[in-house]
Each structure stands twice: as C-alpha cells, then as structure tokens.
Amino acid sequence: MSMAVNGNTANAVIRTENLTRVYHLEGEDIRAVSGVTLAIYPRQMTAIIGRSGSGKTTLLNLIAGLDDPTEGEVWIMGRALRSMDERARLALRREKIGFIFQSFGLLPLLTAAENVGVPLRMRGLPSHEREARVREALEWVGLSKRARHRPYELSGGEQQRVAIARALAAQPQIILADEPTGQLDSQTGKRILELLRRLVSERGITLAIVSHDPMVMAEADVVHELRDGKLIETRYKG
Ligand code: ADP
Ligand code: MG
C-alpha cells in the first residue's frame, strides 16, 4: 500500500492543498483548477491525466510557481511557494526543477549540446563543468553521436531526448513534463516513456507527467485524474 493512502504526506516532494486558479475572461469566471489537494512522492512515476481543458497545464504551472493560485497552497520539498519571493522561486526552478514540454522547447539555431547547456549557462556554471554535464546527459539519453546536430536535423523522438537531457543536466530533484509524448507516434512515445521511467529508477528523480495519453496512464505508478479542474480520482498501482 502506498504511503499516500494512509494520509502520511511527510515525505511528499510536492504537495498541494485546496489549490484553485480562477481566470476571469470577458466577465466569466473559469475555475481552471478547483480545490486540488494531492501529494507527489519520490521514486514514483506520477501521472496527472484528464481531457484537454481539464486544468493539467494550469496545475503544472502552479506547482512550478510560474502562476499564482487564487486560493490554496503549494509546497515544494516542504517550502510553501507563497512564502517565497520571485527571486527565491526562480532559484528553486533553476536548481531543483526540470521541465519537459510537448513541443520540446529547443532553440532552433543551437546544436543539441548547446541546447542542453542553456540552463547551465543561466546558472553560471564554469565551462568545463558545463561540458562534462552536457556530455554525460547526452550519453544518458543515447544521443552522444547527435551532439552537434540542430533540432531540424533530429527526429521528434530525438528532439524530446535532447529536451530530457537538458532537464537532466541541471541535476534537478523534480522533473515536470507537460504532454511529453503528445507530438510523437506511439512507438517513439513508448521509448520516451521508458526513458522517463529510468529518470525515476536510476536517477531518483521525482517525476510528474501531465498527459491525456493512455500509454502514460498505463505506465505510471500513481494516476491523478482531473475533470473540469477538480481531482476526481487517484489510482495507485502495484
Ligand atoms: P489542459 O492543460 O488540461 O488542456 P489548461 O490548464 O490549459 O487545460 O486549461 C484549463 C482551463 O482554463 C481551460 O478551460 C482553458 O481554456 C482555461 N485557461 C487556461 N489558461 C487560461 C488563461 N490564461 N486565461 C483564461 N483561461 C485560461
Ligand atoms: Mg495542457
């Protein structure tokens, strides 16, 4: 039985309580995320699923501190985001959290290796350490031979592997992925999921994947399901 089942959230890496985000649009209130309380644990692949428009991306942005909740709270490794100023949140995102997106988010004019190195540059790491980390991360995703290729010279699956290497190179404790298989055929998506699984099992990373891909649902250890911004069900496997 999972620790979450008996309510012990002490070792949760991410925790939300009554998390709510209301958008005001043309006089209408949209409750994109509505009263979501959940905990995400290390060494598990956690999926947050739901149809398009169910609030998945909004929830991920709230967890990352990229957006502010209308109500409720997020804790990352025990620290309330609300208690942190923008500078502290930026440091948290740069040092502890990696991001993977549906559209890969690579810079088109940079090589694979340069793309992987971008977050390390922003953190001001010395070049020898940057190069070592970039090399290691590209090797880990199986792309050492593609280091000097630009995104347009890579397949979709390879581009997503570069994006995974970029997230990994920063040595984050948490990786948040928004529809990481959304633009890939199912065979390629399966391989990306296997790689994401290894982030958890080999690197000990806390992984939350937002998706409406049935394959993600099948692969995850824990599935939180959103509907109309509300958490309607949590399923634990294994
Ligand atoms: P998902 O990622 O599950 O497709 P989103 O979190 O993107 O869902 O969106 C949830 C709901 O919030 C949708 O109804 C969407 O139209 C609305 N929404 C998202 N972002 C905004 C915004 N910036 N302004 C107004 N409404 C938004
Ligand atoms: Mg989305």
Side-chain angles (χ1 to χ4, degrees):
M1 183 183 280
S2 163
M3 281 161 293
V5 175
N6 53 39
N8 177 9
T9 57
N11 67 343
V13 173
I14 298 166
R15 208 152 67 71
T16 76
E17 195 173 293
N18 189 33
L19 199 62
T20 299
R21 176 66 163 99
V22 181
Y23 292 114
H24 305 282
L25 204 67
E26 292 164 3
E28 199 196 341
D29 283 353
I30 301 166
R31 292 178 78 83
V33 169
S34 183
V36 171
T37 299
L38 57 74
I40 294 175
Y41 294 90
R43 304 193 176 280
Q44 291 183 330
M45 182 186 272
T46 297
I48 298 166
I49 65 153
R51 280 177 218 143
S52 176
S54 58
K56 304 183 299 294
T57 295
T58 304
L59 178 58
L60 214 60
N61 288 341
L62 292 169
I63 287 172
L66 292 166
D67 187 16
D68 289 314
T70 309
E71 274 177 70
E73 186 56 273
V74 177
W75 289 267
I76 302 290
M77 295 177 284
R79 289 184 70 188
L81 287 186
R82 200 183 286 279
S83 72
M84 300 167 65
D85 61 18
E86 200 39 58
R87 225 184 129 104
R89 289 188 198 191
L90 184 65
L92 178 82
R93 276 198 297 278
R94 280 190 182 167
E95 286 157 31
K96 311 282 187 208
I97 305 178
F99 294 91
I100 297 167
F101 304 98
Q102 176 172 354
S103 50
F104 322 130
L106 302 176
L107 296 169
L109 298 179
L110 301 187
T111 66
E114 287 164 349
N115 267 287
V116 173
V118 165
L120 306 179
R121 260 177 204 282
M122 291 198 297
R123 277 169 61 180
L125 287 192
S127 66
H128 63 275
E129 188 177 349
R130 246 172 24 221
E131 281 159 27
R133 285 203 197 186
V134 167
R135 210 176 308 118
E136 197 266 346
L138 281 173
E139 193 181 324
W140 195 83
V141 301
L143 283 184
S144 297
K145 295 207 167 103
R146 299 281 184 274
R148 298 162 77 84
H149 289 230
R150 292 173 211 283
Y152 68 86
E153 298 166 326
L154 297 167
S155 69
E158 287 171 336
Q159 290 183 58
Q160 194 59 302
R161 277 149 71 195
V162 173
I164 292 170
R166 180 184 53 191
L168 183 64
Q171 300 178 351
Q173 273 153 283
I174 298 168
I175 290 184
L176 304 176
D178 195 346
E179 312 261 11
T181 59
Q183 283 189 13
L184 305 174
D185 64 79
S186 67
Q187 196 52 39
T188 307
K190 192 158 178 279
R191 274 194 242 111
I192 290 299
L193 272 179
E194 284 163 10
L195 205 52
L196 293 174
R197 160 66 66 191
R198 285 175 50 214
L199 286 175
V200 177
S201 60
E202 293 176 15
R203 312 295 290 229
I205 286 170
T206 300
L207 175 66
I209 306 177
V210 152
S211 181
H212 62 263
D213 180 349
M215 223 156 50
V216 173
M217 258 176 264
E219 176 65 22
D221 303 308
V222 185
V223 176
H224 298 289
E225 183 169 358
L226 292 182
R227 187 175 298 163
D228 298 331
K230 295 191 187 73
L231 182 63
I232 58 162
E233 196 187 352
T234 296
R235 297 189 288 278
Y236 301 91
K237 303 207 214 124

